[in-house]
Amino acid sequence: KGLDNPLSITGGGGAEKVNVTVEGAGSTVRKAGAGQYIINCTQLGQAIVNVTDGKTTQRIAIPVKRVPDPIAIIGGKAGGNMQANVFRVQSGVIADLRDFVFDGVKFNVLSFVLVATGKGFDEPSSVEVNGPSFSAAAKNLLRNCQPGTTVIIGDIKVSEPGGGTRKLDQTITFILE
């Protein structure tokens, strides 16, 4: 959903005689070259690709799924132990889409909540951050982080490829050493 999906089609009568239409799942089709097409779907469900070469027609059903959730990471890690001085120099949260079949597909972090507790904090302190980078207020909070501090990143919202937003079902926790 929301991506340009390449489709290669060949027909017995030559590429110039092939006609391709698509229906369902908010689908559109555009020609990208001889025998090459791009299908884009705006809805989940099923797209039906109709191919005719003037003699025969073939219908192919293609499931339309959403791009899987990315993994929120800081400093290449999705939580765990990290040296306090290493954590303090990180620039923010990255939405990492791992092992996905399409290259170049990217989510962008829109916002998150940073909470620090434990050593260096009398009570839990939190900051809401807009965008992927630590704000001035977040950097100020991170200056107090030291070995024994626990940092939690949650309520992570990302922009989806092809439009829309998504809240990740993920909270990442770092124990600073």
Side-chain angles (χ1 to χ4, degrees):
K1 175 186 168 218
L3 301 181
D4 285 345
N5 297 276
L7 183 64
S8 296
I9 298 174
T10 57
E16 68 281 351
K17 293 185 179 180
V18 173
N19 183 35
V20 177
T21 60
V22 64
E23 58 193 62
S27 304
T28 59
V29 62
R30 72 178 188 274
K31 192 168 179 92
Q36 303 297 312
Y37 298 86
I38 302 294
I39 309 292
N40 192 297
C41 303
T42 59
Q43 301 167 9
L44 300 176
Q46 192 172 62
I48 306 295
V49 178
N50 298 294
V51 180
T52 183
D53 63 3
K55 296 177 186 174
T56 59
T57 299
Q58 179 145 6
R59 291 173 57 89
I60 303 164
I62 300 173
V64 179
K65 299 178 181 181
R66 78 180 202 151
V67 176
D69 283 344
I71 298 170
I73 60 172
I74 296 176
K77 297 177 71 174
N81 294 342
M82 187 180 284
Q83 296 293 321
N85 60 340
V86 172
F87 191 87
R88 284 192 300 265
V89 298
Q90 299 305 311
S91 60
V93 179
I94 295 171
D96 186 26
L97 189 57
R98 297 182 176 172
D99 302 324
F100 189 59
V101 295
F102 290 98
D103 291 333
V105 175
K106 186 176 178 189
F107 284 83
N108 294 308
V109 175
L110 298 173
S111 65
F112 59 92
V113 174
L114 179 136
V115 178
T117 187
K119 191 161 185 183
F121 298 89
D122 293 332
E123 57 186 54
S125 297
S126 67
V127 173
E128 291 183 33
V129 178
N130 289 314
S133 301
F134 291 130
S135 62
K139 289 177 183 176
N140 190 42
L141 188 141
L142 292 175
R143 280 190 203 95
N144 294 324
C145 292
Q146 55 189 291
T149 299
T150 299
V151 179
I152 303 160
I153 307 290
D155 197 24
I156 306 161
K157 295 181 182 126
V158 297
S159 64
E160 296 180 308
T165 61
R166 190 182 301 182
K167 182 180 174 192
L168 299 184
D169 187 24
Q170 178 189 13
T171 300
I172 53 178
T173 302
F174 289 91
I175 309 298
L176 303 186
E177 301 176 326

